[in-house]
Amino acid sequence: MTDTLRRPYVAVPDVAESVISMVDVGMTYPNGKVALVDVNVNIPEGDFVFLVGPSGAGKSTFIRLLIREQLPTTGRVVVAGRDLSTMRRGQVPALRRRIGIVFQDFRLLPAKTVYENVAFALEVTGATSAEIRKRVPRLLNLVGLHEHDDHLPTQLSGGEQQRTAIARALVHDPAMLIADEPTGNLDPVTSWDLIQLLIQINAMGTTVLMATHNQEIVNAMRRRVLALEHGTLVRDESGAAYEREY
Amino acid sequence: MPLVRFIAFSVVRAWQGFWRNAMMSLAATSTVVLMLVLLSGLLIVLAGLDSGLQYIESKVGVTARLIDNLPQEEVDALVLDISALPGVAKVDYISPETALERLKEFYREQGQQLDLGGAEITLYASVEILLTDPNQAGAVQGALEGRPEVERITTRQVDYQKLLGIIGYVRTVGIIALGLVGLTVLFMIVNMIRIAVYSRSNEIEIMRLVGASDSFIRWPFILEGILCGVIGAVVTIILVAVAWEPIKPIMVRVFQMPTAVSTEFLAVLSAVILGVGLGVGAVGSWISVRANLSSTA
């Protein structure tokens, strides 16, 4: 850990070509906790990016800003060409259909089957029955769960539950997929299976941003790495490995 | 079509939500029924009292009994004088013969016959004064007092004032009771929806993350409250309809007014029950959704 690594990394923003762009973004919570400091990031379309950093580094805040669950206290966040600070409340649902998100804890509805969990995301956005019947089997096929469509989440392994969550995240053909610690609850073999799926999704043109602590995966993949520490972006490096800046 | 899908989605979700927390929903619905039964009772009693009031209003007038053998020209002069008084709508002279005819008619209506045992009676002649406003009875009575042609003056104004007082009292007590029960109902529905929101917080979070609009998230909860109110109203209407036949004779006996228990009145009462149930459900759930379901951040 060196002083050089602790200095904020400043990239030159190129908002026009980025699917995600953060310009001088700072976030301080009402209780005074500083979550992000002057973060500048551009993620072009089709990129596969790891977001790394210790707990409390600001990864969750980073993700919350991208889905406009929160607004930055300074700077601006542009997603898919839309400045989230000036976005009206009524436009937020449309933004979220452009972003798929999965979490470490899957967040599936336990009383619904695999099929129903995925269909639910279409149903609550006003999709027709015909659209649902067409899209859900295709997505379940993509994530390899077409034979488990009538299973409840409790009848699935962790990896299968995460695949269901990914299928649900992809129902609206999002421009990007945000995965917040998707392998956190999975064993190493299952984690790799899931990474293969994310690579496949990325290869189809979807930008993938994956927050992770999994050093093995980051090192093996050699993709772009964004490293946060105490709310500061301390590294933004392509083809990088997992380094312990902290 | 998107609107139809939205409505279908919201109604189905509201129905599922209602039965998912069945105990809470049924408790809230029971309080709605209690409130609406109270409201129905109050409206029925008030309608009966109003009918009675209208009847008395139409009968409130002043009757002046005249001295015996008053010459016709003096009767005519008296009628003219009374007609000129303020608040007087109509003045009728009732001769002893007409009075006897009325008495016989009264007996006939009761299914009896006036039997005088062969004797002949002469009833008093009188002047019946109809008023434009029942509250003018005192003034008219005052104007007649002291006139030599008049032997005695009677009026139903006291009955009218008494009934007016009763109606006011019943209305006040009823409205206060209804207000208290109404607040309880609102509280129950607000709580029902609050519990529903918390029990479905995972679903709501997922809906937000996958891009569901506020309408898709909120309206099922508002409809759930409306459903509670409407089910309560339907149950109350059934109860009132079942109790209607036993109530009718009681109403007629107490208020002497069959109009208070007409089929039209039942139809109006049902519409009021449905409207109030729906309104209370909508207001309660709307309050709860506003308080417990923040907008898309």
Side-chain angles (χ1 to χ4, degrees):
Chain A
M1 194 156 56
T2 66
D3 284 339
T4 309
L5 288 171
R6 282 183 175 282
R7 280 204 301 272
Y9 178 86
V10 181
V12 180
D14 187 0
V15 176
E17 291 178 8
S18 303
V19 71
I20 293 171
S21 181
M22 287 188 171
V23 182
D24 299 330
V25 168
M27 178 68 196
T28 305
Y29 285 100
N31 64 5
K33 185 183 182 308
V34 178
L36 291 176
V37 183
D38 291 335
V39 174
N40 287 281
V41 169
N42 285 302
I43 300 178
E45 201 176 326
D47 212 352
F48 193 122
V49 180
F50 287 112
L51 181 64
V52 301
S55 298
K59 298 192 298 294
S60 297
T61 302
F62 189 98
I63 289 171
R64 278 199 285 268
L65 292 178
L66 293 180
I67 59 171
R68 204 184 178 272
E69 220 172 81
Q70 280 162 344
L71 288 170
T73 39
T74 58
R76 64 191 188 112
V77 179
V78 181
V79 175
R82 300 298 309 272
D83 187 337
L84 305 193
S85 306
T86 58
M87 180 177 270
R88 288 201 309 274
R89 211 182 73 192
Q91 296 171 318
V92 174
L95 166 82
R96 290 186 181 163
R97 286 174 219 168
R98 304 274 296 138
I99 308 168
I101 186 158
V102 291
F103 298 94
Q104 180 176 356
D105 58 359
F106 321 130
R107 302 197 190 174
L108 299 175
L109 297 171
K112 291 188 186 290
T113 64
V114 167
Y115 184 96
E116 288 166 344
N117 263 286
V118 179
F120 182 71
L122 284 166
E123 202 184 334
V124 299
T125 48
T128 63
S129 304
E131 281 175 286
I132 293 171
R133 281 196 302 271
K134 188 177 148 198
R135 296 187 60 78
V136 176
R138 192 158 60 85
L139 286 163
L140 291 181
N141 208 36
L142 173 72
V143 300
L145 284 176
H146 51 286
E147 286 174 359
H148 296 76
D149 60 352
D150 58 347
H151 284 42
L152 291 170
T154 48
Q155 297 170 308
L156 301 174
S157 68
E160 288 166 337
Q161 289 189 56
Q162 194 59 287
R163 283 168 180 271
T164 308
I166 290 173
R168 184 181 63 194
L170 296 174
V171 285
H172 298 299
D173 276 336
M176 85 192 75
L177 179 67
I178 297 172
D180 190 3
E181 299 277 359
T183 59
N185 279 346
L186 307 178
D187 62 68
V189 174
T190 313
S191 296
W192 274 111
D193 278 348
L194 198 82
I195 293 300
Q196 295 307 312
L197 177 61
L198 292 179
I199 291 170
Q200 193 186 339
I201 291 163
N202 179 238
M204 290 159 68
T206 308
T207 308
V208 176
L209 173 69
M210 177 173 158
T212 186
H213 282 117
N214 195 319
Q215 188 173 348
E216 188 190 331
I217 288 172
V218 176
N219 288 342
M221 293 273 291
R222 292 287 168 179
R223 300 287 180 128
R224 183 176 171 192
V225 173
L226 302 175
L228 284 170
E229 188 187 344
H230 301 303
T232 303
L233 183 68
V234 292
R235 186 158 64 100
D236 181 353
E237 189 180 0
S238 293
Y242 195 100
E243 291 176 17
R244 289 213 166 267
E245 285 94 342
Y246 36 88
Chain B
M1 277 305 282
L3 182 65
V4 173
R5 277 201 300 278
F6 166 67
I7 292 170
F9 169 84
S10 301
V11 169
V12 169
R13 296 267 299 164
W15 181 257
Q16 288 170 343
F18 185 87
W19 293 109
R20 196 178 296 181
N21 294 308
M23 283 303 287
M24 188 64 205
S25 302
L26 293 176
T29 307
S30 304
T31 58
V32 172
V33 172
L34 173 69
M35 179 194 76
L36 292 176
V37 165
L38 268 175
L39 174 70
S40 308
L42 180 70
L43 290 179
I44 289 170
V45 169
L46 282 177
L49 288 171
D50 274 338
S51 290
L53 188 69
Q54 276 168 25
Y55 174 76
I56 289 181
E57 232 171 30
S58 70
K59 295 291 176 193
V60 168
V62 178
T63 303
R65 203 163 90 180
L66 306 181
I67 58 169
D68 290 339
N69 305 316
L70 188 68
Q72 189 59 45
E73 55 272 22
E74 285 189 41
V75 171
D76 293 343
L78 178 68
V79 168
L80 269 177
D81 286 352
I82 297 170
S83 300
L85 290 172
V88 173
K90 194 177 163 204
V91 184
D92 284 325
Y93 168 66
I94 308 298
S95 67
E97 295 75 28
T98 310
L100 185 61
E101 247 340 283
R102 278 188 179 179
L103 187 62
K104 286 176 181 172
E105 180 62 28
F106 176 76
Y107 270 81
R108 270 198 296 277
E109 279 175 5
Q110 303 292 315
Q112 297 170 20
Q113 200 168 352
L114 181 63
D115 182 9
L116 299 169
E120 281 195 11
I121 58 162
T122 304
L123 296 177
Y124 289 101
S126 61
V127 178
E128 284 181 358
I129 306 155
L130 268 180
L131 303 170
T132 49
D133 173 8
N135 293 315
Q136 294 288 333
V140 173
Q141 191 176 357
L144 291 177
E145 270 166 2
R147 286 197 65 135
E149 310 93 317
V150 176
E151 189 175 301
R152 205 173 80 188
I153 303 163
T154 56
T155 174
R156 293 190 73 176
Q157 200 200 10
V158 175
D159 295 342
Y160 173 77
Q161 293 295 351
K162 206 181 280 177
L163 191 58
L164 211 57
I166 291 171
I167 288 175
Y169 179 74
V170 170
R171 193 171 281 152
T172 308
V173 170
I175 287 169
I176 291 170
L178 266 178
L180 291 173
V181 178
L183 281 177
T184 312
V185 170
L186 272 183
F187 176 75
M188 292 291 285
I189 292 176
V190 166
N191 254 326
M192 179 186 102
I193 300 300
R194 189 170 63 91
I195 289 169
V197 168
Y198 284 123
S199 72
R200 274 177 266 163
S201 55
N202 286 342
E203 273 185 36
I204 292 167
E205 190 192 357
I206 290 165
M207 286 171 85
R208 286 192 166 142
L209 288 173
V210 299
S213 63
D214 273 355
S215 309
F216 269 85
I217 296 170
R218 287 165 173 243
W219 271 96
F221 291 107
I222 293 175
L223 286 180
E224 196 173 323
I226 291 176
L227 191 64
C228 174
V230 169
I231 291 176
V234 170
V235 170
T236 309
I237 290 169
I238 292 169
L239 288 177
V240 171
V242 167
W244 197 241
E245 287 306 317
I247 286 174
K248 263 160 76 170
I250 297 169
M251 289 292 290
V252 173
R253 199 165 60 244
V254 173
F255 300 112
Q256 300 289 312
M257 276 289 100
T259 51
V261 287
S262 65
T263 312
E264 290 77 28
F265 177 73
L266 180 61
V268 171
L269 183 63
S270 300
V272 170
I273 290 170
L274 192 61
V276 172
L278 195 147
V280 166
V283 170
S285 52
W286 184 77
I287 291 171
S288 193
V289 162
R290 269 186 69 92
N292 298 300
L293 204 56
S294 60
S295 310
T296 306

